[in-house]
Amino acid sequence: MSLHLWWLYVTAVFLISATPGPNMLHVMTQSIAHGPRKATATMAGLMSAVLLCLIASALGLGALLKASPRLFDVLRYAGVAYLVWLGIKAWRAPVGGGEASATNARSARALYGTGLLTGLANPKLIIFAAALFPQFIDLERPFWLQLAILIASFVMIESFWYGVYALGGLRLARWLEPVNRQKLFNRGTGLLFIGFGGALLGARA
């Protein structure tokens, strides 16, 4: 693909990925709860979901979801339910020591799993990729090579922003040492996740 077209794509994805959403919020909250090092398992789960959605879109699932509103609605409602569950869980998360310390001892596998499910909770990513990729693919050039470049670029940019939000969570963790601030943050995070679920519920394919 042409360098000019690639730069346009990179700029668009960079700005889109920077926008706070469920994935970035999840990275930040896990970094606060477990530290950036353990949060890499969460990032790996989220990135696995991104890759699955991008590849599925390339294989035609995006077009299938557009053609089958019922299937899209099933996935959308499942995603809404999961995001709302995350919101309730964040709202009720323990603060201070004791139970909170036990929560911090979650395994890398569990962190990866919650990251993967959070990433898969939004089927709009498949629709987004199906709408975005064709704008930057030159039909006169090899399709799969161009698609590989687009996906690799997306993954690198998304990973960069995961790191930014994880480090932001590390700095925020110091401010959250008082229990009253932890409680306020947990409830704010819970409302945001529920809000994302509500936004997804109102989305249309």
Side-chain angles (χ1 to χ4, degrees), residues 125-157:
L125 177 59
I126 298 176
I127 301 293
F128 163 77
L132 182 70
F133 284 171
Q135 312 301 321
F136 298 95
I137 288 180
D138 185 347
L139 295 179
E140 296 182 358
R141 298 172 185 261
F143 172 79
W144 290 106
L145 179 58
Q146 292 180 81
L147 188 65
I149 293 172
L150 294 177
I151 291 178
S153 300
F154 195 107
V155 168
M156 291 180 66
I157 293 169

Side-chain angles (χ1 to χ4, degrees), residues 6 9-10 12-14 16-17 23-24 47 50-51 54 125 128-129 132-133 147-162:
W6 179 76
Y9 171 80
V10 165
V13 172
F14 187 85
I16 292 168
S17 294
N23 284 14
M24 298 305 172
M47 188 55 65
V50 169
L51 279 171
L54 294 180
L125 177 59
F128 163 77
L132 182 70
F133 284 171
L147 188 65
I149 293 172
L150 294 177
I151 291 178
S153 300
F154 195 107
V155 168
M156 291 180 66
I157 293 169
E158 188 84 349
S159 298
F160 166 78
W161 282 114
Y162 285 170

Side-chain angles (χ1 to χ4, degrees), residues 40-77:
T40 54
T42 297
M43 298 181 213
L46 289 167
M47 188 55 65
S48 296
V50 169
L51 279 171
L52 286 172
C53 288
L54 294 180
I55 293 171
S57 177
L59 294 177
L61 184 54
L64 175 61
L65 290 178
K66 281 187 177 180
S68 179
R70 288 187 178 180
L71 175 59
F72 179 81
D73 282 342
V74 169
L75 294 176
R76 186 160 57 94
Y77 291 141

Side-chain angles (χ1 to χ4, degrees), residues 95-96 175-187:
V95 296
W175 182 81
L176 289 172
E177 288 180 0
V179 170
N180 62 326
R181 290 179 181 175
Q182 292 178 39
K183 185 178 294 185
L184 182 64
F185 177 80
N186 289 347
R187 292 185 175 180

Side-chain angles (χ1 to χ4, degrees), residues 25-43 86 89-90 93-94 96 98-115 165-174 176 182 185-186:
L25 178 62
H26 193 58
V27 167
M28 188 174 70
T29 55
Q30 295 305 299
S31 178
I32 291 171
H34 308 288
R37 183 174 297 180
K38 289 195 71 174
T40 54
T42 297
M43 298 181 213
L86 282 180
K89 187 177 179 182
E99 190 178 350
S101 297
T103 302
N104 290 343
R106 295 182 66 193
S107 68
R109 180 179 296 180
L111 294 175
Y112 175 87
T114 57
Y165 276 80
L167 291 176
L170 176 62
R171 297 189 65 177
L172 189 57
R174 297 170 185 153
L176 289 172
Q182 292 178 39
F185 177 80
N186 289 347

